[in-house]
Amino acid sequence: MSSPRPGTRRLTTAQALVAFLARQYTERDGRRHRLIDATWAIFGHGNVAGLGQALLEYGEEMPFLQGRNEQAMVHAAVGYARQSNRLSAHAVTTSIGPGATNLVTGAALATINRLPVLLLPGDTFATRPADPVLQQLEVPGAGDVSVNDTLRPVSAYFDRITRPEALVPAALQAMRVLTDPAATGAVTLALPQDVQAEGFDWPEEFFAERVWRVRRPAPDAAELDAAVRAVRASSRPLIVAGGGVHHSAAEDALRTLADTTGIPVASTQAGKGSLSHDHPADVGGIGHTGTATADHLARTADLVLGVGTRWTDFTTASSTLFAHPGVRFVNLNITGFDAHKMAGLPLVADARTALLALAAGLGEHRVDPAYAAEYGRRKAAWEARVTAAYTPRGDDARPTQPQVLGALDTLVTGDDIVINAAGSLPGDLHKLWRARSHDQYHVEYGYSCMGYEIPAAVGVALAAPGRPVWAFVGDGTYLMNPTEIVTAVQERLPIKVVILQNHGYASIGGLSEAVGSERHGTAYRYRAPDATYTGDPLPVDLAANAASLGMRVLRPRTVRDLREALAEARASTVPTCVYVETETADTVSGAPPAEAWWDVPVAETATRPAAVKAREEYDRHVAARRRHL
């Protein structure tokens, strides 16, 4: 090996990357955070001799976390980034081939939710000494394609490092995107395995500490003035708080605006907890999974101020919710792309900065006292419905799904963090959960990815040590991705996994019934010789599975047992599972029904009566859809 040139350091590409990542920081509001706080890895050919060796070499500078499934590693990293307010993130490295393609789902989730994660998949040889190599995809018409190209459309930034020196600009671009609040998401640097192991003389400046300031852009004066005038001119304004409120740490600024103006605040799945549930202006979740209070206010609002929301179909009830004929939108968002949705007045700025400016611009302006009294009454009525859904028939009864939430509701404080992503639980949580702190409610609903919850709980526990972290999963979701239970056991992370067993895909079963598909293929049942499903559930024991992976398992059977089990799990210092058999997949959860529509197209022609009836109902709802122009 030749001696390095003066002012350089001789390292492999992988070693240089790890040393570089260990010296990157973010800064916001005068507080500094390490940008890449740890690296997850599953090793194989493609990264074991490159990044694997580098992570061993620089173990004191770059913490290492061992994953069991590549997708799950990304979910854990995303959970960590969200809990860290996007100011710290994790890297994830895999082998080539299936290890790399297993990243795609996690990358899509990260980019859709605007959460930073650095992906470092191994890639095939840049020098092609043997072609093809094990697990290489051959494309006859394109020699420069590898399976890692599947990550391009789901990455906020993508590059392939085919020469060591190309890492310098690529690494800097990667850090720029990871720390840009308007552009962040999954960042992929594909690393050919020969380039990872290749030595190079790196300039010492590459390894200097570098601070990436997370900007808080102020609103344009003309846009701010237009927004203030729009709010002042409205008689029934409504604020819709999205995930951008949390990303900006704008909860106090939002509360100030709500306190001074009396404008009610509804929340998307990502924005829930922006106000505490007991704040007078908090009217709960909005949209298809929203509260009756929030959805009524949405239908009658003449001005809607969206803060950090992407206006997804669940929030807008597939463009049927905002029914006032003269409704206007003001969109406060750090991205111009989102700020121009719904034909709204754009207010492109950091959420906290702009909310404070709005409050100052509105001065002593307040909503009509009659409007505040109206939504106050509706809020109280909804709280009574929540209490009813939470209240069991008796202590010896088997709990419904909402009653499981109710049992936990009596136990938690603002320290607890509740995680969910898919199935019927997001709807129940959005309607019913009483968020006590700004970061208690962690529901991933941008991608609504089954299997997110358990690995995300691992990531959240790493970001918030000492706080009780609850992963709520249905039986269908649990079967998707339980592998990181092993990681929780290995890292001694006392996550609490609540498995709700209803023997099937309850959420999709209900949707299937609503659209005329008659719950086909949504239950875990024995199949009869005629291919119909019997009433007998399969003898699947998910609690035993969790125990086999190293968890402590509690099996409450009644409401009384459940309360005791949840309290025991909360106090536990080891990973603990609470396994609850609720009602079967053929019954409703017990939560109040949807207050707004969601567009799932129904067969236009069919002979089965259920589908014909569902199409009639579909056509009725479609007639109410509108474009806001």
Side-chain angles (χ1 to χ4, degrees):
M1 183 177 68
S2 59
S3 299
R5 298 190 305 274
T8 66
R9 192 186 308 181
R10 187 76 178 180
L11 298 172
T12 68
T13 303
Q15 292 165 355
L17 177 57
V18 172
F20 168 83
L21 293 176
R23 291 166 177 79
Q24 306 303 303
Y25 296 87
T26 61
E27 182 180 283
R28 188 173 72 177
D29 304 330
R31 295 186 61 187
R32 196 160 109 160
H33 309 263
R34 179 162 167 163
L35 175 52
I36 304 299
D37 220 13
T39 297
W40 290 88
I42 296 176
F43 294 122
H45 93 99
N47 70 340
V48 65
L51 279 166
Q53 191 282 328
L55 289 168
L56 177 63
E57 186 105 355
Y58 289 91
E60 293 185 2
E61 298 181 49
M62 176 58 68
F64 162 73
L65 295 165
Q66 185 175 1
R68 268 73 194 178
N69 172 282
E70 291 86 359
Q71 177 181 318
M73 291 195 297
V74 186
H75 292 337
V78 167
Y80 182 89
R82 175 167 167 169
Q83 186 62 33
S84 302
N85 260 359
R86 307 195 300 184
L87 298 173
S88 290
H90 282 166
V92 177
T93 178
T94 72
S95 62
I96 72 170
T101 52
N102 279 350
L103 295 173
V104 173
T105 297
L109 182 148
T111 298
I112 286 170
N113 286 286
R114 319 283 172 81
L115 292 167
V117 60
L118 178 61
L119 306 181
L120 304 172
D123 212 328
T124 53
F125 286 86
T127 54
R128 306 185 191 179
D131 191 39
V133 298
L134 178 65
Q135 299 176 322
Q136 178 179 337
L137 172 71
E138 290 186 275
V139 180
D144 63 343
V145 171
S146 82
V147 296
N148 285 340
D149 288 277
T150 59
L151 287 159
R152 288 182 184 272
V154 293
S155 295
Y157 179 81
F158 180 98
D159 203 350
R160 179 175 282 114
I161 313 303
T162 56
R163 289 292 308 140
E165 55 267 40
L167 177 65
V168 174
L172 294 172
Q173 288 295 330
M175 300 305 103
R176 174 189 65 80
V177 175
L178 286 171
T179 58
D180 186 335
T184 195
V187 168
T188 300
L189 297 180
L191 300 167
Q193 57 180 308
D194 51 346
V195 176
Q196 286 184 50
E198 186 175 344
F200 186 74
D201 294 341
W202 302 89
E204 284 289 349
E205 294 86 350
F206 186 56
F207 307 110
E209 285 192 1
R210 195 178 301 265
V211 178
W212 302 83
R213 288 182 174 81
V214 180
R215 58 183 77 91
R216 288 192 179 278
D220 175 81
E223 290 185 352
L224 178 62
D225 181 63
V228 169
R229 285 188 281 109
V231 174
R232 285 183 174 276
S234 67
S235 59
R236 295 184 64 86
L238 173 68
I239 294 172
V240 175
V245 175
H246 296 311
H247 297 330
S248 175
E251 297 89 358
D252 289 347
L254 178 63
R255 186 172 62 251
T256 296
L257 182 64
D259 287 342
T260 57
T261 65
I263 300 174
V265 178
S267 56
T268 69
Q269 285 280 14
K272 191 172 172 75
S274 295
L275 290 183
S276 177
H277 77 96
D278 55 0
H279 190 283
D282 180 74
V283 294
I286 191 170
H288 178 63
T289 54
T291 69
T293 307
D295 285 353
H296 170 78
L297 294 175
R299 290 186 179 95
T300 59
D302 60 353
L303 188 283
V304 182
L305 171 60
V307 184
T309 175
R310 298 187 297 126
W311 292 120
T312 68
D313 63 340
F314 256 65
T315 299
T316 68
S318 299
S319 299
T320 63
L321 185 57
F322 300 101
H324 190 288
V327 65
R328 299 177 67 196
F329 293 82
V330 174
N331 297 324
L332 195 179
N333 205 292
I334 201 163
T335 70
F337 174 74
D338 290 316
H340 283 84
K341 291 177 178 176
M342 310 291 282
L345 294 172
L347 186 58
V348 182
D350 168 71
R352 192 183 78 174
T353 303
L355 285 170
L356 292 173
L358 266 175
L362 289 167
E364 297 182 1
H365 174 79
R366 285 191 64 83
V367 300
D368 189 295
Y371 181 46
E374 175 197 335
Y375 73 69
R377 289 192 299 271
R378 290 182 178 275
K379 174 181 171 69
W382 182 260
E383 279 301 309
R385 293 180 70 180
V386 173
T387 299
Y390 278 177
T391 303
R393 298 188 305 275
D395 284 354
D396 294 324
R398 176 184 289 183
T400 65
Q401 185 166 285
Q403 289 162 10
V404 175
L405 301 182
L408 187 62
D409 177 75
T410 65
L411 196 66
V412 300
T413 70
D415 283 343
D416 294 70
I417 301 168
V418 175
I419 300 171
N420 186 240
S424 58
L425 273 163
D428 288 1
L429 285 162
H430 199 204
K431 290 190 192 89
L432 304 176
W433 188 256
R434 293 163 170 161
R436 291 162 170 79
S437 63
H438 71 274
D439 64 349
Q440 181 177 81
Y441 187 87
H442 182 132
V443 172
E444 186 284 299
Y445 217 59
Y447 209 40
S448 187
C449 185
M450 294 177 73
Y452 172 79
E453 294 89 345
I454 294 173
V458 170
V460 170
L462 289 168
R467 295 179 63 179
V469 179
W470 301 85
F472 271 95
V473 297
D475 47 303
T477 292
Y478 178 85
L479 288 168
M480 287 278 182
N481 209 358
T483 54
E484 299 322 292
I485 286 174
V486 178
T487 301
V489 172
Q490 183 177 37
E491 298 293 331
R492 294 181 172 84
L493 299 171
I495 64 171
K496 298 90 174 61
V497 177
V498 179
I499 301 176
L500 298 171
Q501 172 64 280
N502 52 34
H503 303 287
Y505 301 112
S507 173
I508 296 303
L511 177 62
S512 172
E513 188 170 50
V515 299
S517 295
E518 304 174 52
R519 295 184 176 268
H520 177 59
T522 63
Y524 298 148
R525 309 282 186 202
Y526 284 104
R527 292 191 69 172
D530 62 357
T532 61
Y533 291 95
T534 72
D536 300 319
L538 296 175
V540 176
D541 191 341
L542 301 184
N545 178 265
S548 76
L549 297 177
M551 289 202 99
R552 179 187 181 195
V553 175
L554 307 173
R555 293 177 178 256
R557 298 187 180 280
T558 66
V559 171
R560 182 186 293 104
D561 296 340
L562 175 64
R563 294 194 194 105
E564 295 172 357
L566 291 173
E568 191 173 339
R570 190 173 188 271
S572 178
T573 58
V574 298
T576 302
C577 170
V578 178
Y579 176 84
V580 188
E581 276 206 81
T582 61
E583 304 295 337
T584 68
D586 296 329
T587 62
V588 295
S589 71
E595 299 289 337
W597 184 59
W598 182 42
D599 187 351
V600 177
V602 177
E604 190 169 356
T605 62
T607 58
R608 296 180 70 86
V612 173
K613 182 179 178 181
R615 180 66 194 198
E616 292 172 355
E617 183 72 4
Y618 178 80
D619 289 339
R620 183 178 69 82
H621 284 291
V622 165
R625 188 164 53 198
R626 65 184 286 196
R627 290 193 182 276
H628 297 281
L629 298 171

